Structure formats: structure tokens, C-alpha cells
Amino acid sequence: GIQVEQSPPDLILQEGANSTLRCNFSDSVNNLQWFHQNPWGQLINLFYIPSGTKQNGRLSATTVATERYSLLYISSSQTTDSGVYFCAVERGNAGGTSYGKLTFGQGTILTVHP
Amino acid sequence: EAGVTQFPSHSVIEKGQTVTLRCDPISGHDNLYWYRRVMGKEIKFLLHFVKESKQDESGMPNNRFLAERTGGTYSTLKVQPAELEDSGVYFCASSQVRLAGYQETQYFGPGTRLLVL
């Protein structure tokens, strides 16, 4: 099956700092999503981004599908950004029909100190 | 619009007992997925419904797990009998109907935390 690797596994920041999280995947994908798991365990959708660049406030994401990676940028981090960030992909075939299931990376644990 | 809801939020049971988890997808979403995160490991796919049909159940760990989606609305996931290694967080997700070449965002519920003692 498709492999998803996230880096770094852990990241500690001071409030106000910027950070970049990376997601590498081993095959072509038709879907890529970034999630934030908050301290209560809820998975919050951040981006649906199988290709291109999107921005939402202090967060932005870029996926370069041809090179099989995606980046999540967090600017001016806040303590509420703490939690686990997951990248998840859905493998696609050459015809563009996907298979439904998401394969998750191990996550990046982000801790933002005040 | 209500999001994906799951019940119960927490469940603590003894080994050998039965537990049934429920998921209500976003209204109008034909795709329904179950995932779980066992302690310390990554979130893994269990199965995928399209309406009431099982599209892919390749992630179901063994025959102690039974998922149903009668009528194509809510879904249940029953674990019988539960074992210690079944402890973890069970997530449900839903997405809109899949059209050729069009991919949809999966929206996740808050999860059910299962602890088997």
C-alpha cells in the first residue's frame, strides 16, 4: 500500500514562531488532507489539497503531486495551535479513480509555549 | 449543518463483553468510513460504505468486528467479544457521493474512546 511519512515527529516552538511540517507519500494520490487533532482528540479538517497551494488565515499548505510531498506552514504560532498534525492521502490510479480510504502518516506533535 | 456525530464518546468494558459504536454521518453523505487509532500507532482505515453497501472492508482486523449501515443512514460498529488490543479511538468520517474524477473531503467525527479492561 501507499506509504506516508511526516516530519518532524516532534516540534517545540515559542509563541509567535513560524514552522513548516512536511508530508512525503510514495505513490500518486487523488486526495490529500491535513488535519489538526486538538487536545480533546477531535480531528479538525485544515485543508483538502491534492495539488496546488491554499491559505486559511495563519495556515497555508502546498502540495507538489509530481514530487509526492506536501507542506503545511504555520505562521505566528499560538498556544492553541498545539496538538498533533496529520497528513492523510487517498491513493489514486492512472485513470483518476480513487479507492476511498485515507492512509495517515504518524503525525507531527506540535507544542507551542507561551 | 450538523457534523459527523458519534456515540458514545467513551466506553469502558471488560474483556469478552460486547460494545456497539454508532456513527451518524453528515446528512446527504453517501460515503461513510470507519477508522481507528490504537494507542501509540497511526490512524488506520477499517471500512467504507457507499450508502448501505460495503465498498471496502479490507481494514477490518478480524471477524469480531461487524459493521452495518441499514438504510444507508447511520452506521454501527460492533465488537464481540472485545479483546484488550481493541482499545483505542474509533473515528467515523463521511463524504459526499463520489463522481468520476471528483474527490471529496472526508469529515471526521469526534471519535469514540474505547477501553477494554
Side-chain angles (χ1 to χ4, degrees), chain B residues 42-106:
Chain B
E42 67 270 25
I43 299 170
K44 285 199 169 180
F45 167 84
L46 294 178
L47 86 159
H48 170 204
F49 284 100
V50 177
K51 296 185 180 180
E52 66 275 10
S53 299
K54 292 177 184 175
Q55 181 78 8
D56 180 358
E57 50 185 331
S58 61
M60 294 288 264
N62 51 61
N63 58 11
R64 295 186 294 103
F65 289 75
L66 175 64
E68 295 180 325
R69 192 182 183 195
T70 307
T73 54
Y74 71 91
S75 174
T76 58
L77 179 64
K78 180 189 290 187
V79 185
Q80 179 182 29
E83 298 290 343
L84 300 179
E85 63 265 26
D86 300 331
S87 296
V89 183
Y90 290 77
F91 291 100
C92 175
S94 72
S95 68
Q96 291 182 324
V97 68
R98 184 170 302 275
L99 301 176
Y102 177 65
Q103 313 306 324
E104 307 87 13
T105 301
Q106 291 187 27

Side-chain angles (χ1 to χ4, degrees), chain A residues 87-102:
Chain A
C87 167
V89 304
E90 179 182 359
R91 185 170 69 93
N93 64 17
T97 301
S98 66
Y99 300 90
K101 66 182 180 184
L102 290 176

